[in-house]
Amino acid sequence: MPNFLAKNLKDIKLPVSLDGVEFIWEAINGDEKLVYTKALDCEFCLVVKNSGDKYVIKCDKLSRPANLKAIQKALIAYKDLFATDVISQAIALKESKNSSYNQYIISSDELLSRLDSCEYKSIFVEIGFGSGRHLLYQAKENPNTLIIGIEVYKPACMQVENLARINGLNNILLLNLDARLVMSLLKSNSIDRLFLHFPVPWTKSKMRRVVSEQFAMETKRILKDGGKFELRSDDREYSDYTISCFMDLQISNIQIYKNRFLEISSKYEDRWIRQNKDIYDVIYSFYGSSDELNLECEFEFDRPNLEQIKSNFTNKTIKNSDHFIHLERIYTLCDGSILLRVAFGSFYRPEHRYLIITKDSISYLFKKPLLTIENIKAHKNLEDMLRCVTL
């Protein structure tokens, strides 16, 4: 990411602006400060870190915008306004052929918008698409179907995006996110087919697996009447585990195959076949309908007791059965307001947010949390903590 190093920084009172970039206020925690910044219609924070004999200036990861040019512009303006004796800089961005418009790789917010206006007759979802062979095959074979690919490894997303563009496939959306987060955002009875091919088995750490009892329940909820979930794996134990998770549902329709031939295979499958390994398919079919999730929350807070929050703040984690809250760090603004950095929600899909707290109000900075069950529960607990000042 773009950044620069400087020996000294000028002490300039905020707000100040240069070349269309606004630096509004700063919040301090020890040797680190966050600078609230606006550039190219983006709002984010720069991080200024005092590291011994130098300062490191970069973009804050938590609030980082998708528009890298906004970060570049902000860093250049900050350097020109504040820095003296610049030691090094890596601010220039490599121009990408697709930097102006990203047709395929989208955010969770964009996914919700696209699905609300979706005109495709059916929707397929593939989790962990890897090299993209199966995903691209489904897109070619089903031009009237929207194919959503979810992959945590960003280079795989970029590779498949390029292949989709080369092949002129316009019915693909890619998300560089945890699949469990994406599933919680999908509407009930909305997905025709869900694929999970050759997931990492995580034999020694089953909590990291995609499949779980919760995953089975979410799969049942999002599938349409007649919809199917398909696991394909070379790992017998993972296959058995998947069967057990789906058998725990009240009604289960499961088909099991061994060494079934498919028209398209992944590079991993080709490797396993050369090694004479067995391949297992577990196909769960859902018949019926599921209730839509009733998720309502404005993610707002009551009026705070600012001074008590300041004096009672400690770095700690509160764990419940299905969600947690981690109070990570407190920053102080020059007017006495504070900025809280918090993590909360589900253990495997946490939200990271800033809370800006003045003497009159508390609000989420930049954007509110995603509307999920775990986030709603965590928010309400956090609201109670701040109201009762039991930090």
Side-chain angles (χ1 to χ4, degrees):
M1 289 299 296
N3 67 87
F4 72 89
L5 279 62
K7 284 189 177 181
N8 297 292
L9 295 176
K10 300 174 187 176
D11 186 13
I12 300 177
K13 187 177 180 180
L14 302 184
V16 66
S17 62
L18 178 67
D19 193 24
V21 179
E22 298 177 73
F23 303 107
I24 312 298
W25 47 254
E26 60 186 26
I28 300 173
N29 176 290
D31 58 2
E32 177 180 295
K33 64 182 177 182
L34 299 176
V35 182
Y36 182 60
T37 305
K38 293 183 179 180
L40 298 179
D41 296 322
C42 297
E43 299 180 25
F44 54 95
C45 283
L46 294 184
V47 178
V48 180
K49 178 81 171 178
N50 187 339
S51 183
D53 61 344
K54 62 182 179 294
Y55 293 91
V56 180
I57 299 90
K58 57 186 179 180
C59 186
D60 166 51
K61 288 184 179 179
L62 194 154
S63 59
R64 184 170 61 202
N67 188 347
L68 295 181
K69 288 186 177 180
I71 300 173
Q72 179 192 39
K73 190 175 180 69
L75 286 171
I76 292 172
Y78 196 88
K79 176 175 66 71
D80 292 343
L81 274 171
F82 294 90
T84 60
D85 302 319
V86 174
I87 300 170
S88 65
Q89 56 183 318
I91 299 177
L93 298 176
K94 293 182 179 179
E95 286 294 329
S96 170
K97 294 180 180 178
N98 309 313
S99 60
S100 61
Y101 175 66
N102 201 328
Q103 179 183 355
Y104 297 94
I105 303 176
I106 62 172
S107 67
S108 55
D109 291 336
E110 289 175 295
L111 173 66
L112 296 178
S113 176
R114 297 282 189 97
L115 291 180
D116 284 341
S117 59
C118 181
E119 297 180 354
Y120 287 94
K121 295 180 179 179
S122 55
I123 301 175
F124 293 178
V125 175
E126 179 163 358
I127 297 172
F129 52 77
S131 65
R133 286 190 192 176
H134 181 262
L135 183 144
L136 295 167
Y137 171 81
Q138 291 293 342
K140 291 177 182 176
E141 293 295 308
N142 302 278
N144 294 320
T145 297
L146 176 63
I147 312 295
I148 300 173
I150 310 168
E151 174 62 65
V152 295
Y153 187 53
K154 189 168 185 178
C157 290
M158 296 173 69
Q159 175 185 328
V160 173
E161 175 189 43
N162 187 50
L163 292 172
R165 184 173 287 106
I166 290 173
N167 287 277
L169 298 171
N170 298 315
N171 58 332
I172 292 176
L173 294 178
L174 307 174
L175 293 105
N176 179 214
L177 295 168
D178 187 306
R180 293 165 292 192
L181 169 60
V182 178
M183 288 182 67
S184 70
L185 301 176
L186 296 173
K187 291 183 178 180
S188 299
N189 314 299
S190 63
I191 305 302
D192 295 86
R193 298 186 70 180
L194 176 63
F195 302 100
L196 176 62
H197 286 190
F198 300 98
V200 178
W202 295 111
T203 305
K204 296 182 179 180
S205 183
K206 294 183 180 180
M207 286 294 292
R208 301 184 69 177
R209 288 177 168 176
V210 173
V211 174
S212 65
E213 292 182 4
Q214 179 65 30
F215 176 86
M217 290 188 289
E218 279 288 84
T219 296
K220 172 181 175 293
R221 181 185 68 81
I222 67 173
L223 286 178
K224 291 180 181 178
D225 182 20
K228 298 180 184 296
F229 161 70
E230 177 184 295
L231 170 80
R232 191 165 174 83
S233 175
D234 63 296
D235 190 286
R236 171 68 181 269
E237 193 276 332
Y238 196 107
S239 302
D240 291 342
Y241 170 77
T242 299
I243 293 169
S244 69
C245 288
F246 279 87
M247 284 297 290
D248 284 340
L249 298 174
Q250 186 174 10
I251 299 176
S252 291
N253 297 279
I254 299 175
Q255 295 173 293
I256 304 168
Y257 299 91
K258 180 177 178 180
N259 297 327
R260 183 175 65 132
F261 173 77
L262 294 183
E263 292 293 332
I264 187 69
S265 62
S266 72
K267 64 177 183 180
Y268 296 105
E269 183 174 356
D270 291 343
R271 182 190 304 167
W272 305 149
I273 291 174
R274 288 195 298 270
Q275 296 175 1
N276 293 318
K277 290 189 70 174
D278 291 323
I279 305 297
Y280 306 95
D281 284 292
V282 177
I283 301 175
Y284 163 77
S285 300
F286 174 67
Y287 300 99
S289 63
S290 300
D291 293 336
E292 192 61 65
L293 289 177
N294 183 20
L295 300 179
E296 293 185 5
C297 183
E298 296 298 326
F299 291 111
E300 294 178 348
F301 298 90
D302 292 336
R303 182 169 178 163
N305 188 320
L306 178 60
E307 295 306 318
Q308 287 195 40
I309 293 174
K310 283 183 185 179
S311 60
N312 288 313
F313 176 83
T314 56
N315 183 317
K316 67 177 181 180
T317 302
I318 299 94
K319 293 183 179 180
N320 290 284
S321 60
D322 59 353
H323 68 278
F324 78 102
I325 300 170
H326 181 196
L327 304 174
E328 297 180 331
R329 195 173 302 174
I330 185 170
Y331 297 83
T332 304
L333 282 70
C334 64
D335 66 355
S337 302
I338 59 175
L339 196 67
L340 289 188
R341 176 171 170 148
V342 298
F344 57 85
S346 170
F347 296 100
Y348 57 81
R349 53 188 185 216
E351 292 273 2
H352 297 271
R353 291 286 184 271
Y354 288 118
L355 293 179
I356 181 74
I357 305 178
T358 71
K359 61 183 178 63
D360 298 316
S361 66
I362 307 177
S363 60
Y364 289 99
L365 188 63
F366 303 117
K367 65 177 182 178
K368 295 181 179 181
L370 291 170
L371 197 61
T372 66
I373 294 174
E374 297 86 354
N375 287 349
I376 292 174
K377 291 180 179 179
H379 168 82
K380 290 181 177 178
N381 284 354
L382 182 58
E383 185 181 12
D384 290 340
M385 292 168 62
L386 294 173
R387 182 190 303 114
C388 301
V389 195
T390 56
L391 303 180

PDB file of all heavy atoms in Angstrom, residues 329-346:
ATOM      1  N   ARG A 329      -9.141  -0.086  21.316  1.00  0.00           N
ATOM      2  CA  ARG A 329      -8.282   1.083  21.496  1.00  0.00           C
ATOM      3  C   ARG A 329      -9.129   2.346  21.595  1.00  0.00           C
ATOM      4  O   ARG A 329     -10.214   2.431  21.031  1.00  0.00           O
ATOM      5  CB  ARG A 329      -7.323   1.194  20.304  1.00  0.00           C
ATOM      6  CG  ARG A 329      -6.146   2.134  20.504  1.00  0.00           C
ATOM      7  CD  ARG A 329      -5.190   2.036  19.330  1.00  0.00           C
ATOM      8  NE  ARG A 329      -4.700   0.675  19.133  1.00  0.00           N
ATOM      9  CZ  ARG A 329      -3.937   0.308  18.110  1.00  0.00           C
ATOM     10  NH1 ARG A 329      -3.617   1.191  17.180  1.00  0.00           N
ATOM     11  NH2 ARG A 329      -3.517  -0.924  18.011  1.00  0.00           N
ATOM     12  N   ILE A 330      -8.617   3.326  22.333  1.00  0.00           N
ATOM     13  CA  ILE A 330      -9.301   4.606  22.467  1.00  0.00           C
ATOM     14  C   ILE A 330      -8.372   5.727  22.002  1.00  0.00           C
ATOM     15  O   ILE A 330      -7.195   5.753  22.349  1.00  0.00           O
ATOM     16  CB  ILE A 330      -9.763   4.847  23.923  1.00  0.00           C
ATOM     17  CG1 ILE A 330     -10.584   6.140  24.023  1.00  0.00           C
ATOM     18  CG2 ILE A 330      -8.591   4.838  24.894  1.00  0.00           C
ATOM     19  CD1 ILE A 330     -11.261   6.319  25.373  1.00  0.00           C
ATOM     20  N   TYR A 331      -8.905   6.631  21.185  1.00  0.00           N
ATOM     21  CA  TYR A 331      -8.163   7.792  20.680  1.00  0.00           C
ATOM     22  C   TYR A 331      -8.867   9.049  21.199  1.00  0.00           C
ATOM     23  O   TYR A 331     -10.095   9.069  21.352  1.00  0.00           O
ATOM     24  CB  TYR A 331      -8.160   7.836  19.155  1.00  0.00           C
ATOM     25  CG  TYR A 331      -7.469   6.670  18.483  1.00  0.00           C
ATOM     26  CD1 TYR A 331      -8.145   5.474  18.274  1.00  0.00           C
ATOM     27  CD2 TYR A 331      -6.163   6.785  18.021  1.00  0.00           C
ATOM     28  CE1 TYR A 331      -7.526   4.409  17.626  1.00  0.00           C
ATOM     29  CE2 TYR A 331      -5.530   5.737  17.375  1.00  0.00           C
ATOM     30  CZ  TYR A 331      -6.220   4.554  17.184  1.00  0.00           C
ATOM     31  OH  TYR A 331      -5.604   3.500  16.542  1.00  0.00           O
ATOM     32  N   THR A 332      -8.100  10.091  21.427  1.00  0.00           N
ATOM     33  CA  THR A 332      -8.648  11.353  21.927  1.00  0.00           C
ATOM     34  C   THR A 332      -8.506  12.449  20.886  1.00  0.00           C
ATOM     35  O   THR A 332      -7.436  12.618  20.288  1.00  0.00           O
ATOM     36  CB  THR A 332      -7.928  11.782  23.213  1.00  0.00           C
ATOM     37  OG1 THR A 332      -8.025  10.724  24.181  1.00  0.00           O
ATOM     38  CG2 THR A 332      -8.561  13.040  23.785  1.00  0.00           C
ATOM     39  N   LEU A 333      -9.602  13.203  20.677  1.00  0.00           N
ATOM     40  CA  LEU A 333      -9.589  14.348  19.772  1.00  0.00           C
ATOM     41  C   LEU A 333      -9.281  15.613  20.576  1.00  0.00           C
ATOM     42  O   LEU A 333      -9.451  15.640  21.804  1.00  0.00           O
ATOM     43  CB  LEU A 333     -10.932  14.501  19.068  1.00  0.00           C
ATOM     44  CG  LEU A 333     -11.215  13.556  17.884  1.00  0.00           C
ATOM     45  CD1 LEU A 333     -11.415  12.123  18.335  1.00  0.00           C
ATOM     46  CD2 LEU A 333     -12.429  14.038  17.092  1.00  0.00           C
ATOM     47  N   CYS A 334      -8.867  16.653  19.890  1.00  0.00           N
ATOM     48  CA  CYS A 334      -8.469  17.886  20.566  1.00  0.00           C
ATOM     49  C   CYS A 334      -9.624  18.565  21.286  1.00  0.00           C
ATOM     50  O   CYS A 334      -9.415  19.318  22.243  1.00  0.00           O
ATOM     51  CB  CYS A 334      -7.807  18.855  19.587  1.00  0.00           C
ATOM     52  SG  CYS A 334      -8.912  19.437  18.280  1.00  0.00           S
ATOM     53  N   ASP A 335     -10.873  18.308  20.867  1.00  0.00           N
ATOM     54  CA  ASP A 335     -12.016  18.934  21.530  1.00  0.00           C
ATOM     55  C   ASP A 335     -12.547  18.105  22.695  1.00  0.00           C
ATOM     56  O   ASP A 335     -13.596  18.421  23.273  1.00  0.00           O
ATOM     57  CB  ASP A 335     -13.136  19.197  20.524  1.00  0.00           C
ATOM     58  CG  ASP A 335     -13.738  17.910  19.952  1.00  0.00           C
ATOM     59  OD1 ASP A 335     -13.230  16.809  20.271  1.00  0.00           O
ATOM     60  OD2 ASP A 335     -14.713  18.002  19.180  1.00  0.00           O
ATOM     61  N   GLY A 336     -11.828  17.023  23.044  1.00  0.00           N
ATOM     62  CA  GLY A 336     -12.245  16.181  24.158  1.00  0.00           C
ATOM     63  C   GLY A 336     -13.079  14.988  23.765  1.00  0.00           C
ATOM     64  O   GLY A 336     -13.329  14.090  24.589  1.00  0.00           O
ATOM     65  N   SER A 337     -13.545  14.933  22.517  1.00  0.00           N
ATOM     66  CA  SER A 337     -14.275  13.760  22.032  1.00  0.00           C
ATOM     67  C   SER A 337     -13.324  12.571  21.934  1.00  0.00           C
ATOM     68  O   SER A 337     -12.099  12.726  22.001  1.00  0.00           O
ATOM     69  CB  SER A 337     -14.903  14.046  20.668  1.00  0.00           C
ATOM     70  OG  SER A 337     -15.768  15.155  20.724  1.00  0.00           O
ATOM     71  N   ILE A 338     -13.878  11.386  21.778  1.00  0.00           N
ATOM     72  CA  ILE A 338     -13.037  10.200  21.665  1.00  0.00           C
ATOM     73  C   ILE A 338     -13.454   9.344  20.475  1.00  0.00           C
ATOM     74  O   ILE A 338     -14.576   9.447  19.967  1.00  0.00           O
ATOM     75  CB  ILE A 338     -13.077   9.340  22.944  1.00  0.00           C
ATOM     76  CG1 ILE A 338     -14.515   8.887  23.257  1.00  0.00           C
ATOM     77  CG2 ILE A 338     -12.424  10.059  24.107  1.00  0.00           C
ATOM     78  CD1 ILE A 338     -14.605   7.937  24.449  1.00  0.00           C
ATOM     79  N   LEU A 339     -12.536   8.504  20.056  1.00  0.00           N
ATOM     80  CA  LEU A 339     -12.760   7.545  18.982  1.00  0.00           C
ATOM     81  C   LEU A 339     -12.451   6.168  19.553  1.00  0.00           C
ATOM     82  O   LEU A 339     -11.350   5.943  20.066  1.00  0.00           O
ATOM     83  CB  LEU A 339     -11.845   7.865  17.800  1.00  0.00           C
ATOM     84  CG  LEU A 339     -12.167   7.229  16.447  1.00  0.00           C
ATOM     85  CD1 LEU A 339     -13.473   7.785  15.906  1.00  0.00           C
ATOM     86  CD2 LEU A 339     -11.035   7.494  15.464  1.00  0.00           C
ATOM     87  N   LEU A 340     -13.426   5.273  19.518  1.00  0.00           N
ATOM     88  CA  LEU A 340     -13.211   3.907  19.989  1.00  0.00           C
ATOM     89  C   LEU A 340     -13.057   2.981  18.798  1.00  0.00           C
ATOM     90  O   LEU A 340     -13.863   3.011  17.865  1.00  0.00           O
ATOM     91  CB  LEU A 340     -14.394   3.419  20.829  1.00  0.00           C
ATOM     92  CG  LEU A 340     -14.615   4.000  22.217  1.00  0.00           C
ATOM     93  CD1 LEU A 340     -15.718   3.237  22.923  1.00  0.00           C
ATOM     94  CD2 LEU A 340     -13.342   3.964  23.038  1.00  0.00           C
ATOM     95  N   ARG A 341     -12.017   2.174  18.829  1.00  0.00           N
ATOM     96  CA  ARG A 341     -11.858   1.124  17.822  1.00  0.00           C
ATOM     97  C   ARG A 341     -12.364  -0.174  18.441  1.00  0.00           C
ATOM     98  O   ARG A 341     -11.883  -0.609  19.497  1.00  0.00           O
ATOM     99  CB  ARG A 341     -10.399   0.984  17.410  1.00  0.00           C
ATOM    100  CG  ARG A 341     -10.168  -0.162  16.435  1.00  0.00           C
ATOM    101  CD  ARG A 341      -8.767  -0.155  15.879  1.00  0.00           C
ATOM    102  NE  ARG A 341      -8.514  -1.390  15.144  1.00  0.00           N
ATOM    103  CZ  ARG A 341      -7.723  -1.475  14.088  1.00  0.00           C
ATOM    104  NH1 ARG A 341      -7.111  -0.396  13.641  1.00  0.00           N
ATOM    105  NH2 ARG A 341      -7.542  -2.617  13.481  1.00  0.00           N
ATOM    106  N   VAL A 342     -13.347  -0.798  17.782  1.00  0.00           N
ATOM    107  CA  VAL A 342     -13.969  -2.000  18.324  1.00  0.00           C
ATOM    108  C   VAL A 342     -14.065  -3.080  17.249  1.00  0.00           C
ATOM    109  O   VAL A 342     -14.124  -2.792  16.047  1.00  0.00           O
ATOM    110  CB  VAL A 342     -15.381  -1.707  18.881  1.00  0.00           C
ATOM    111  CG1 VAL A 342     -15.312  -0.712  20.019  1.00  0.00           C
ATOM    112  CG2 VAL A 342     -16.310  -1.193  17.786  1.00  0.00           C
ATOM    113  N   ALA A 343     -14.064  -4.322  17.698  1.00  0.00           N
ATOM    114  CA  ALA A 343     -14.351  -5.473  16.834  1.00  0.00           C
ATOM    115  C   ALA A 343     -15.508  -6.220  17.491  1.00  0.00           C
ATOM    116  O   ALA A 343     -15.573  -6.313  18.724  1.00  0.00           O
ATOM    117  CB  ALA A 343     -13.133  -6.367  16.693  1.00  0.00           C
ATOM    118  N   PHE A 344     -16.426  -6.750  16.704  1.00  0.00           N
ATOM    119  CA  PHE A 344     -17.582  -7.421  17.300  1.00  0.00           C
ATOM    120  C   PHE A 344     -18.285  -8.270  16.255  1.00  0.00           C
ATOM    121  O   PHE A 344     -17.943  -8.271  15.075  1.00  0.00           O
ATOM    122  CB  PHE A 344     -18.558  -6.399  17.898  1.00  0.00           C
ATOM    123  CG  PHE A 344     -19.058  -5.371  16.917  1.00  0.00           C
ATOM    124  CD1 PHE A 344     -20.144  -5.620  16.105  1.00  0.00           C
ATOM    125  CD2 PHE A 344     -18.414  -4.147  16.809  1.00  0.00           C
ATOM    126  CE1 PHE A 344     -20.593  -4.671  15.203  1.00  0.00           C
ATOM    127  CE2 PHE A 344     -18.857  -3.187  15.918  1.00  0.00           C
ATOM    128  CZ  PHE A 344     -19.950  -3.453  15.114  1.00  0.00           C
ATOM    129  N   GLY A 345     -19.301  -8.988  16.729  1.00  0.00           N
ATOM    130  CA  GLY A 345     -20.099  -9.822  15.833  1.00  0.00           C
ATOM    131  C   GLY A 345     -19.758 -11.285  15.977  1.00  0.00           C
ATOM    132  O   GLY A 345     -19.426 -11.771  17.062  1.00  0.00           O
ATOM    133  N   SER A 346     -19.820 -12.001  14.870  1.00  0.00           N
ATOM    134  CA  SER A 346     -19.531 -13.432  14.866  1.00  0.00           C
ATOM    135  C   SER A 346     -18.043 -13.678  15.007  1.00  0.00           C
ATOM    136  O   SER A 346     -17.211 -12.907  14.542  1.00  0.00           O
ATOM    137  CB  SER A 346     -20.041 -14.059  13.564  1.00  0.00           C
ATOM    138  OG  SER A 346     -19.572 -15.374  13.440  1.00  0.00           O
TER     139      SER A 346
END
